[in-house]
Amino acid sequence: MRRILVKGAGVAGLTVAHELAVRGASVTVAEVRGQIGGNASWLAGGMLAPWCERESAEETVITLGKNAADWWERTLPGLVSRAGTLVVAHARDAFELARFAARTRNCESVDEEAIAALEPDLAGRFRQGLFFASEAHLDPRRVLEALAGKLRAMGVVFLFEAGEVALSGFDQMIDCTGIARADDDLRGVRGEMLLLRTRDVSLARPVRLLHPRHPIYIVPRADHHFMVGSTMIESDHDGPITARSLMELLNAAYALHPAFGEAEIVETGVGVRPAYPDNLPLVKCWKDGTITVNGLYRHGFLLSPAMAEQAAGLLFNSSAGNSSAGLESENEADRQRRSA
Ligand SMILES: Cc1cc2nc3c(=O)[nH]c(=O)nc-3n(C[C@H](O)[C@H](O)[C@H](O)COP(=O)(O)OP(=O)(O)OC[C@H]3O[C@@H](n4cnc5c(N)ncnc54)[C@H](O)[C@@H]3O)c2cc1C
C-alpha cells in the first residue's frame, strides 16, 4: 500500500487526500493550523460557476470545472445546491450585462418578470439579467468539515499543528500548501469578504451584481447568512479588510437590496488566493520527487476535483512519484497534462 503524506488541509489537500484514499493509498494529512479552516478555502464563496467565470478566465476553467458539482455531490451527497447563478446589473450598467453575455455562454437572458420568478425578493429591482441554470454552489465550511470527517472514516490520519513531518515514513509527499509553498511562479491575490446576516432578504442562489468598478456576488448560506465577496487585489498581504473594501462591499450589497443595510456584520475575512502567471492551476513534479497541486486562484472548489484526479492519476497510473526528472522537462509534461 502506498504511504502518502499530503501537506495542507485546504480544499486542494483534502480533495487530493480523497482521491488517493479511494485508490487505496494510506494517507496522512499534515496541517500547520490547529484545525480545519482559517485558510483561503474557508473564506471562499463556494460558487461552482465555470460558465460565469469564463468572463475573465480561460476556456480551461470550463473544461476542468464543468463536472465539479457532480464530483462534490457524489463525494458529499446533499451538500451541493444546483440552483444556477443569476447575474444582474442596474439600468445604468446595462452595457456590463451585454459585455458579460458576450464573453460567456450557456445562459439565457431574463427580464424583470423572470428575475422576480427566480428571486422574489429582487422583484422590481432589475430590468434584465442573465441566468446560468447549470451552475451550482456549496458552503465551503460545511464541505471542508464534512470532507475531513469522511476522510477520517476512510482511515486518513490528520496531524494538526504539524511541524516538519519526517518523510522517511512515506513513499511520496504531495504539497498542497497554497500560497505558503515556496514556488517563484506563485503570487498571491488578496480576496476580502463579509458574512452578513438578515432575515429580511431571501435568495435561492448566488447573485452577481455587475458594476464597472466594483462587481460583487452574494452567496446565500444557511440561517439567513450571506457571503458577500470579494476583492481581487494583487498582494499576498493577509491583514484585516480595509475600510475602503468594507465600504465597497457593503455599498454593493445595499445596491442589490436595501435590506442588506440593516444586516448584522457577522464576520469580515481576508484570504490569499495562490495563482500562477496564467491564473490556471498546475500539478507540478519537482526534482526532489515532491508533487505540488497549486495555483487554484479563484477556483479552488471548482477546479480542485479535476486537479486531485490528475495528481492521483499521476501516482497511480505511472511509475512516477519518485521522478528525478528536472523541473524544466517536468514543466513541459505539466503543460501537456493541463491541456489534456
Ligand atoms: C474571498 C474568496 C472567495 C473565493 N470564492 C471562491 C468561489 O466562490 N469558488 C471557488 O471555487 N473558489 C473560490 N475562491 C478560491 C479558493 O478559495 C482558493 O482557490 C482555494 O482556497 C485554494 O486552496 P488551497 O488548498 O490551495 O489553499 P488554502 O486553502 O490556503 O490551504 C492551504 C493549507 O496549507 C496549510 N499549510 C501551509 N503551510 C503548511 C506546511 N508547511 N505544512 C502543512 N500545512 C501547511 C495552510 O495552513 C492551509 O490550511 C475564493 C477565495 C477567496 C479568498
Side-chain angles (χ1 to χ4, degrees):
M1 188 189 277
R2 305 280 280 272
R3 296 158 306 161
I4 301 175
L5 174 67
V6 176
K7 267 194 188 180
V11 70
L14 296 184
T15 51
V16 164
H18 185 271
E19 289 310 296
L20 297 172
V22 294
R23 286 166 176 77
S26 161
V27 182
T28 298
V29 177
E31 165 59 53
V32 283
R33 294 176 191 264
Q35 57 192 12
I36 296 295
N39 44 27
S41 304
W42 194 250
L43 294 153
M47 294 178 294
L48 305 175
W51 310 101
C52 276
E53 287 298 307
R54 181 67 176 96
E55 185 248 345
S56 60
E58 300 289 327
E59 183 71 15
T60 311
V61 168
I62 295 181
T63 315
L64 293 175
K66 64 185 178 201
N67 297 323
D70 293 339
W71 188 92
W72 285 108
E73 180 61 32
R74 206 168 51 241
T75 305
L76 299 170
L79 292 187
V80 177
S81 172
R82 292 173 176 264
T85 306
L86 178 62
V87 181
V88 292
H90 287 291
R92 64 178 178 274
D93 300 326
F95 66 95
E96 287 289 335
L97 267 183
R99 195 188 54 80
F100 199 94
R103 297 180 63 91
T104 55
R105 61 183 194 275
N106 215 14
C107 63
E108 57 182 294
S109 291
V110 283
D111 60 12
E112 198 169 332
E113 204 180 330
I115 292 172
L118 287 166
E119 296 291 356
D121 280 3
L122 298 185
R125 300 198 51 76
F126 299 96
R127 281 192 221 132
Q128 46 180 328
L130 300 167
F131 182 47
F132 293 76
S134 57
E135 295 192 333
H137 70 283
L138 47 74
D139 179 339
R141 300 176 183 195
R142 287 185 69 193
V143 156
L144 291 169
E145 281 176 341
L147 187 50
K150 179 175 180 189
L151 291 173
R152 280 190 196 96
M154 292 167 81
V156 172
V157 173
F158 281 82
L159 305 175
F160 287 107
E161 296 181 345
E164 273 314 304
V165 179
L167 296 180
S168 52
F170 299 95
D171 302 313
Q172 177 70 47
M173 196 263 276
I174 305 195
D175 185 310
C176 302
T177 55
I179 197 61
R181 170 72 193 180
D183 180 342
D184 289 343
D185 291 337
L186 268 184
R187 72 181 200 285
V189 181
R190 174 177 160 98
E192 295 153 304
M193 53 76 79
L194 315 174
L195 211 51
L196 300 180
R197 183 171 180 276
T198 176
R199 290 178 176 273
D200 297 334
V201 190
S202 290
L203 297 175
R205 56 185 57 74
V207 178
R208 295 185 182 219
L209 176 61
L210 303 185
H211 183 277
R213 274 176 303 125
H214 311 303
I216 63 138
Y217 54 81
I218 298 195
V219 187
R221 298 221 175 128
D223 301 326
H224 312 284
H225 285 76
F226 297 86
M227 186 276 193
V228 183
S230 63
T231 55
M232 295 277 293
I233 299 169
E234 291 288 328
S235 165
D236 56 9
H237 175 57
D238 65 355
I241 190 169
T242 61
R244 177 198 294 268
S245 297
L246 183 60
M247 281 190 294
E248 285 167 358
L249 292 173
L250 286 173
N251 275 337
Y254 183 71
L256 186 76
H257 197 298
F260 282 116
E262 302 302 321
E264 294 165 26
I265 301 178
V266 176
E267 181 186 317
T268 63
V270 176
V272 179
R273 310 170 181 95
Y276 284 119
D278 58 4
N279 294 332
L280 291 173
L282 209 48
V283 176
K284 263 192 191 183
C285 304
W286 294 68
K287 271 184 185 158
D288 66 0
T290 299
I291 292 175
T292 53
V293 178
N294 215 322
L296 286 158
Y297 184 48
R298 48 183 281 161
H299 305 123
F301 288 81
L302 180 63
L303 301 186
S304 59
M307 301 317 288
E309 281 168 359
Q310 277 188 28
L314 191 64
L315 280 181
F316 280 83
N317 301 339
S318 75
S319 57
N322 282 320
S323 165
S324 57
L327 183 56
E328 229 172 281
S329 60
E330 288 298 304
N331 270 345
E332 182 51 38
D334 291 332
R335 276 193 283 279
Q336 287 167 9
R337 273 196 296 283
R338 180 200 285 161
S339 59

